[in-house]
Amino acid sequence: MLSEKIKNYIKKNFFLLIVIFNFFVASFFIVVFGDPSCIAIEGKCALDSDRYSYRLAETLFSYGQFSSFPNMDPYVEHPPLHALILAGTFFLVGYKTYIPILIIHLFLNVLTGLFVRSICNTIIGRFGMIAMCLYLFNPNVLAHANLIGSNSLPAFFISGAILSLLFYLRGRSLRSVLICGLLLGLGTLIRPIVQPLIFVLPIAII
């Protein structure tokens, strides 16, 4: 019974699964054969915001303090959620082990691609799979596959918030509004770029 359901699901979503598989394969090759210095917070690919996140993750892991390393001042440089996730991976698998955060980014990119597909299908009624492929195989998305700091988190929260808003407009569901607000709130804790959506999305409803 279960095997039959799995077979039916694979048959129904075969092309979708192929797209996701190819994205993982492409990302794997970039991580393995890309510039190894990028998989390090001190590497040449790191952004200032990534270094800030790493400093907070380091002090949380090593000293249990929500502060900037090494001067231990209160942490105010950058929204902290990415650092908290990074520190969580340190606690789970070990200090300066970056592969888990890369895996999280990969799965978030797949979820974002699914959100993009649903957004396109909801607005246009078709071409959702094309939109998903354009997102997943965008060179900028693939180029971030081996970076500790990635835009996959804000992209996930932004696309999720937009999709929740579309569900609200279609069904006027309170749950959709709450999910939209939650995703926007979490997104602002990742990158300041999410903050303008707090003002833009209500205007879109009107």
Side-chain angles (χ1 to χ4, degrees):
M1 181 90 178
L2 181 60
S3 61
E4 191 66 27
K5 289 183 178 179
I6 294 175
K7 289 180 181 178
N8 291 334
Y9 179 83
I10 293 176
K11 184 177 180 180
K12 183 179 179 181
N13 299 282
F14 182 75
F15 185 70
L16 172 64
L17 296 175
I18 289 296
V19 168
I20 294 174
F21 174 77
N22 282 317
F23 171 73
F24 278 122
V25 170
S27 300
F28 172 79
F29 275 97
I30 290 173
V31 171
V32 172
F33 299 106
D35 187 346
S37 69
C38 288
I39 313 179
I41 206 64
E42 301 87 359
K44 62 183 180 181
C45 304
L47 302 174
D48 287 339
S49 58
D50 304 331
R51 295 188 178 95
Y52 293 143
S53 296
Y54 174 78
R55 290 170 191 164
L56 176 56
E58 186 176 28
T59 53
L60 282 172
F61 179 81
S62 302
Y63 305 100
Q65 296 186 25
F66 200 83
S67 57
S68 300
F69 182 84
N71 54 14
M72 295 303 180
D73 292 331
Y75 182 82
V76 295
E77 288 94 343
H78 197 266
L81 185 54
H82 187 267
L84 295 176
I85 296 173
L86 185 58
T89 63
F90 288 167
F91 279 106
L92 290 176
V93 297
Y95 182 47
K96 288 192 175 182
T97 304
Y98 301 127
I99 296 301
I101 196 69
L102 299 181
I103 294 174
I104 290 173
H105 289 163
L106 290 180
F107 278 99
L108 287 179
N109 274 322
V110 171
L111 289 175
T112 302
L114 294 172
F115 288 165
V116 169
R117 184 184 70 155
S118 296
I119 291 170
C120 186
N121 286 335
T122 301
I123 296 176
I124 303 177
R126 53 182 178 172
F127 303 129
M129 187 59 69
I130 296 176
M132 180 178 178
C133 291
L134 288 174
Y135 173 79
L136 288 180
F137 298 103
N138 185 311
N140 288 323
V141 173
L142 291 175
H144 282 76
N146 62 339
L147 300 184
I148 298 169
S150 172
N151 288 321
S152 60
L153 280 168
F156 169 77
F157 289 123
I158 289 173
S159 60
I162 293 173
L163 182 60
S164 299
L165 179 64
L166 292 175
F167 285 160
Y168 168 75
L169 293 175
R170 188 172 61 181
R172 300 294 174 177
S173 169
L174 177 61
R175 182 176 62 179
S176 298
V177 174
L178 294 177
I179 293 175
C180 180
L182 175 64
L183 292 174
L184 282 178
L186 291 173
T188 59
L189 295 176
I190 295 290
R191 291 280 195 274
I193 193 174
V194 183
Q195 295 174 1
L197 290 179
I198 297 175
F199 305 99
V200 173
L201 290 184
I203 296 175
I205 295 177
I206 298 174

